[in-house]
């Protein structure tokens, strides 16, 4: 591995546009579930990553930027490399010092057609960002003034809110959270999401017809297999 240094890579590996369009049809819950228990948990950002405005979603390849704490030079460099449909993913290690994202940069991102931003750190000018209609998720809101001196690294692997994000990974976000899909797993994740969505249509139909989720999902059998005792009475009754 080469030594870590300040660097800007101007290009990223780009996913198949047709696969990306299919992925955008699904919510984060289906995509996360389709990744499987291990990969899904490793790829899901924490509940600290919140949308600045409700009702928005995004899906696109990641443009990554590592920022020195208190500095946001890298986000401006990353924005310069971004193309329409890309998702900006920024980190400064997750601290609130030095806002990484604000309305001026956001306005330029809108002009370029960038899909949105995921900020592991602080965002500010939130009212203006909502007015612009630009999708942003962030872990903090703070107006603290950032420096623009570096060091900085753009389009390198970063860890954002505990998740490894490589340039070109697919970022999907909605009201439920943010998930990172490695390009190598995109096709199988879409197939899994399609199967999950189709199965849930069937489950809803069975519930509408009068069946119980306890039976549809096999939970009644699980209770019996685990030997969980069921008592016809209250907890207080059982104390005597």
């Amino acid at each position: 591995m080469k030594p870590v240094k300040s660097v800007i890579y101007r290009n990223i590996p780009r996913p198949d546009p047709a696969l990306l369009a299919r992925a955008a049809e699904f919510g984060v819950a289906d995509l996360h579930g389709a990744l499987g228990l291990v990969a899904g948990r490793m790829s899901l950002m924490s509940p600290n990553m919140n949308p600045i405005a409700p009702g928005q979603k995004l899906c696109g390849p990641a443009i990554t930027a590592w920022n020195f704490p208190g500095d946001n030079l890298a986000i401006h460099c990353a924005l310069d490399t971004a193309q329409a449909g890309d998702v900006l993913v920024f980190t400064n290690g997750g601290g609130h010092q030095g806002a990484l994202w604000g309305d001026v940069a956001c306005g330029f991102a809108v002009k370029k057609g960038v899909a949105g931003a995921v900020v592991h750190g602080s965002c500010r000018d939130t009212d203006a960002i909502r007015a612009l209609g630009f999708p942003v998720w962030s872990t903090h809101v703070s107006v603290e003034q950032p420096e623009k001196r570096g060091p900085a690294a753009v389009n390198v692997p970063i860890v954002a809110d505990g998740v490894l994000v490589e340039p070109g990974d697919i970022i999907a976000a909605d009201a439920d959270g943010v998930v990172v899909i490695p390009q190598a797993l995109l096709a199988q994740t879409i197939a899994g999401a399609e199967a999950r969505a189709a199965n849930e249509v069937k489950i809803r139909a069975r519930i509408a017809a009068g069946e119980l989720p306890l039976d549809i999902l096999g939970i009644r059998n699980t209770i019996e297999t685990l030997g969980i005792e069921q008592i016809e009475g209250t907890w207080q009754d059982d104390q005597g």
Side-chain angles (χ1 to χ4, degrees), residues 81-102:
T81 73
Q83 300 180 12
D86 288 344
V87 177
L88 302 164
V89 184
F90 307 138
T91 186
N92 63 0
H96 63 80
Q97 301 88 349
L100 290 179
W101 191 247

Side-chain angles (χ1 to χ4, degrees), residues 109-121:
V110 171
K111 184 177 180 180
K112 292 194 76 170
V114 173
V118 174
V119 182
H120 183 216

